[in-house]
Amino acid sequence: MSGYLVSDTRKVTTHRFIEMKQRGEKISMLTSYDFTTAGIVDGAGVDGILIGDSASNVMVGNTTTLPMTVEQMIYHAKAVVNGVKRALVVCDMPFGSYQVDRKEGVKNAIRIMKESGCDALKLEGGVEIIDTIKGILDAGIPVMGHLGLTPQSINKFGTYAVRAKEEAEAEKLLSDARLLSETGCFSVVLEKVPAALAAEVSKAISVPTIGIGAGAGTDGQILVVADMLGMTKGFSPRFLRRYADLNTVMTDAIGQYVSDVKDGAFPNANESY
């Protein structure tokens, strides 16, 4: 069990995220979308679990995150919350649920919190959505920001390439990060931005940064659980480290099961009543 943080069973809160940054302790996050996986991820000692709208890709097989609905996010988030005792549980607000106006954004945020039981919400964007973020914060709901590559804006960008490589976009990202921090977001995800810029942002704001493809200078890291466990194939960005090869493990196990059923080897006498 060496390396797991299960001995520290206190509930992780948004305040503890900020405390971890202050004392220089790195923050670990992973995604989860179901009860069983979330329980395993939580038990292994992860600090935060994100119900990402990446469920659109991982769970449904869509090519983008755009089709996810508020109802679908609530379904996945409720399942995760039921499996988690310790980690901070953050849920993505899906595309279209907060971009229209402040009133609708706050209404959807309250609904997700009430019906899922999660601890906080994550929204993509900076100054463009700051009024809605203020409204959600005013409603007493913790908000995690998300800058850099924002997958909900894929049709605007037209590519999943690294963001903020040019000076103007880098300056806007730094400005947006400061704005999110000063407005009251408890942390900010930085996705696929140059490592030097992510480190600069992390030093410039008082709340923790959570990186994905943003180098080692952020205050924490997040990966999609199916990717880091090697369940997915054909997706190998530079930032992804595979910690297991569950695709092979699962395929072998299921293949053995099929063989045993076909051969009459399963169930045996001890597995029958």
Side-chain angles (χ1 to χ4, degrees):
M1 297 296 286
S2 175
Y4 298 138
L5 301 181
V6 287
S7 60
D8 182 3
T9 57
R10 293 177 300 155
K11 172 67 179 175
V12 179
T13 63
T14 56
H15 183 65
R16 284 189 64 193
F17 259 45
I18 295 171
E19 285 181 334
M20 289 168 77
K21 171 168 181 148
Q22 290 171 344
R23 65 172 177 263
E25 179 184 345
K26 295 285 189 176
I27 299 166
S28 61
M29 291 192 69
L30 285 172
T31 65
S32 292
Y33 316 99
D34 67 273
F35 170 82
T36 303
T37 304
I40 295 169
V41 170
D42 185 53
V46 79
D47 300 307
I49 292 177
L50 173 69
I51 303 99
D53 55 8
S54 47
S56 180
N57 313 95
V58 178
M59 304 299 290
V60 186
N62 295 322
T63 55
T64 73
T65 63
L66 302 186
M68 292 302 285
T69 65
V70 168
E71 289 76 16
Q72 287 172 315
M73 293 307 300
I74 289 171
Y75 171 84
H76 287 291
K78 192 170 183 180
V80 169
V81 167
N82 286 343
V84 173
K85 295 178 181 177
R86 177 184 175 273
L88 181 78
V89 180
V90 184
C91 182
D92 266 339
M93 289 194 71
F95 177 70
S97 67
Y98 60 94
Q99 288 92 343
V100 177
D101 58 39
R102 171 176 172 143
K103 184 177 180 181
E104 185 174 353
V106 173
K107 183 178 179 181
N108 284 323
I110 291 172
R111 182 185 172 196
I112 294 171
M113 292 293 287
K114 280 176 67 75
E115 295 185 24
S116 72
C118 65
D119 300 315
L121 301 177
K122 180 168 76 63
L123 285 71
E124 295 182 8
V127 65
E128 302 83 4
I129 61 162
I130 202 65
D131 192 46
T132 299
I133 288 176
K134 287 178 181 176
I136 295 171
L137 290 168
D138 286 346
I141 298 170
V143 173
M144 174 181 277
H146 183 155
L147 300 172
L149 175 65
T150 48
Q152 290 180 12
S153 300
I154 183 56
N155 290 329
K156 180 178 79 172
F157 293 146
T159 173
Y160 287 107
V162 173
R163 303 305 309 174
K165 294 172 76 174
E166 303 300 324
E167 186 176 351
E169 191 178 347
E171 287 178 358
K172 183 184 185 303
L173 188 144
L174 180 57
S175 174
D176 280 342
R178 285 194 172 110
L179 182 62
L180 291 174
S181 175
E182 291 163 3
T183 300
C185 291
F186 73 91
S187 64
V188 179
V189 169
L190 300 176
E191 181 169 359
K192 286 193 84 171
V193 300
L197 175 62
E200 182 183 356
V201 171
S202 302
K203 292 174 183 175
I205 65 175
S206 59
V207 300
T209 56
I210 308 296
I212 176 166
T218 54
D219 300 302
Q221 300 291 333
I222 185 166
L223 287 174
V224 171
V225 69
D227 295 338
M228 62 83 67
L229 288 176
M231 296 173 72
T232 53
K233 294 282 190 181
F235 178 69
S236 298
R238 183 192 297 189
F239 65 79
L240 174 60
R241 181 182 298 182
R242 297 190 191 278
Y243 284 82
D245 182 12
L246 290 199
N247 191 295
T248 299
V249 171
M250 294 170 73
T251 301
D252 289 349
I254 293 166
Q256 187 62 55
Y257 164 76
V258 171
S259 177
D260 287 351
V261 170
K262 298 286 188 184
D263 295 344
F266 177 81
N268 61 29
N270 292 331
E271 293 158 336
S272 304
Y273 294 97

